[in-house]
Amino acid sequence: MMKKLFLSAVLVCVALAVVADGADAQNKRVGTSAASWLLIPVGAKDLALGGSNIAMSRGVEAMYWNPAGLGRLQGDAEGMFSSMQYIADIGVNYGAVAASFGEFGVVGLSVTALDFGDIPLTTEDDPENTSGRYYSPAYVTVGLSYSRQLSDAISAGGSVKIISEQIDRVSASGVALDFGVQYSGLVGVSGLHLGVTVKNIGPQMRYDGSGLLRDARAEAGGRPTQKYKSEAASFELPSVVEIGLGYDGRFGDNLLWSVASSFTNNNLYLDEYKLGGEVGMTMESIRLFGRAGIAMVPEAENDANIFGATFGVGLGYLAPGIDITVDYAYRQVEFFDANQVISVKLGF
């Protein structure tokens, strides 16, 4: 009874958050968040499903999508590495490990890093970069996650993320929290799943550093040139509330299938609706999967939502003592090259 009350309380709080924060923020503060790159998806499997898999994401991949799914880790431990070719030649690298500690629950550690490459350093005195100097921004997030199955049907979890951004001689840092719940067998229907997650809750971020110093020259008198600092404004994190439904089933003993959907309310962007599906085949120690999905932003103006449909495949091989999974995802993008993601996951 207490577990059901806990789940009900979480769902009520999430619903109130959506109602209170929804329409007023949208269309007014689009593009005004700090660390908006926290919303860049990771992992090929769930991206191939259009990001709709909030209710059924499992294991180390779930630390980004819904930390409650970490508690449904299969086996004693998992590790995963994922690399994405994002827009404008930006690379997104993600690594995660997780281990089960029995009745205590599952603990996971994840690291996300963006690779911008070398960018020419231009200044007021050298706008053409004749000096040949370069810099590379460093955007890194380190997350510590914990999740536990409260019963066969309910799992809950959360993450603490340390955010770091550095661009030449200015930097910003922050802390964000994620919380999630997953419920299987919703309303007594086997295979019907519900997921709720609240992500990127934390204080505002602001840049600081010597790169904000400027020379101040007195208009009169003999005062020498002095330095003054431009105070950077602070901005909110891109907090989101996501609610997802999913259903999975079988055709015979070897064919698997699932469908998933989710609704995303972003405090600094427009509502998103996501839909995805997966079919799979198991053959002794080998598993094959095909996936597709799409994320829709109905209120976005023309060309504002540059991301299109997603597609992906997966191959799993159960070797003695280790489960190896390789996933690939492809996402259509307007104006840029398509996003491509490869993930390798090891289960023990």
Side-chain angles (χ1 to χ4, degrees):
M1 178 62 70
M2 290 300 296
K3 295 172 182 177
K4 292 183 177 180
L5 289 175
F6 169 78
L7 176 62
S8 299
V10 171
L11 294 178
V12 169
C13 291
V14 169
L16 291 175
V18 171
V19 172
D21 190 56
D24 183 63
Q26 298 188 344
N27 294 309
K28 296 181 180 179
R29 297 187 290 171
V30 171
T32 62
S33 67
S36 58
W37 57 278
L38 293 175
L39 301 179
I40 298 176
V42 298
K45 177 184 176 180
D46 290 330
L47 176 61
L49 294 169
S52 63
N53 207 28
I54 302 302
M56 298 186 292
S57 186
R58 301 288 186 269
V60 289
E61 295 153 305
M63 282 192 278
Y64 172 83
W65 300 98
N66 185 346
L70 178 64
R72 301 178 186 272
L73 181 75
Q74 296 180 347
D76 296 325
E78 278 187 357
M80 187 182 84
F81 175 77
S82 174
S83 178
M84 172 191 280
Q85 178 186 337
Y86 197 53
I87 61 176
D89 296 325
I90 298 173
V92 182
N93 298 313
Y94 175 80
V97 293
S100 175
F101 293 90
E103 295 183 358
F104 173 76
V106 182
V107 177
L109 178 68
S110 62
V111 178
T112 305
L114 270 60
D115 181 7
F116 295 88
D118 293 330
I119 300 174
L121 179 61
T122 58
T123 65
E124 297 173 355
D125 299 326
D126 185 15
E128 302 298 329
N129 189 35
T130 57
S131 64
R133 294 182 298 169
Y134 293 83
Y135 71 99
S136 181
Y139 284 22
V140 178
T141 297
V142 178
L144 179 64
S145 303
Y146 169 77
S147 181
R148 183 171 180 265
Q149 282 199 255
L150 304 179
S151 69
D152 292 339
I154 303 172
S155 63
S159 300
V160 179
K161 298 184 292 189
I162 306 299
I163 309 162
S164 175
E165 298 183 359
Q166 184 171 357
I167 303 177
D168 192 25
R169 293 176 293 118
V170 295
S171 62
S173 60
V175 178
L177 303 177
D178 297 350
F179 302 98
V181 173
Q182 287 182 341
Y183 192 107
S184 298
L186 185 65
V187 296
V189 178
S190 178
L192 183 60
H193 307 269
L194 170 69
V196 178
T197 182
V198 182
K199 297 189 288 190
N200 303 326
I201 305 299
Q204 296 186 354
M205 289 179 58
R206 182 174 63 180
Y207 274 94
D208 196 4
S210 61
L212 298 177
L213 295 175
R214 295 292 183 269
D215 290 332
R217 299 178 178 86
E219 295 183 355
R223 297 178 59 186
T225 299
Q226 295 179 319
K227 296 287 186 180
Y228 75 94
K229 179 183 289 186
S230 300
E231 291 292 336
S234 58
F235 294 93
E236 299 176 40
L237 296 176
S239 304
V240 298
V241 176
E242 295 184 285
I243 302 174
L245 283 174
Y247 188 86
D248 58 8
R250 285 178 173 267
F251 292 121
D253 295 331
N254 298 327
L255 295 179
L256 314 173
W257 64 274
S258 66
V259 291
S261 63
S262 68
F263 165 77
T264 301
N265 177 269
N266 188 328
N267 69 331
L268 298 171
Y269 191 54
L270 304 173
D271 290 341
E272 290 185 78
Y273 301 86
K274 303 173 183 178
L275 182 66
E278 176 185 70
V279 292
M281 176 182 294
T282 61
M283 299 174 292
E284 295 183 356
S285 59
I286 297 177
R287 306 180 305 276
L288 298 174
F289 297 95
R291 307 177 180 107
I294 191 169
M296 298 165 287
V297 187
E299 297 183 21
E301 298 179 0
N302 293 336
D303 301 330
N305 181 29
I306 65 173
F307 299 109
T310 57
F311 307 92
V313 294
L315 172 63
Y317 177 68
L318 183 59
I322 185 171
D323 189 356
I324 305 171
T325 304
V326 179
D327 294 308
Y328 169 80
Y330 175 96
R331 180 166 66 170
Q332 297 175 336
V333 183
E334 288 192 64
F335 314 119
F336 298 92
D337 293 336
N339 294 164
Q340 299 188 62
V341 190
I342 295 178
S343 299
V344 178
K345 182 171 67 175
L346 305 177
F348 303 92

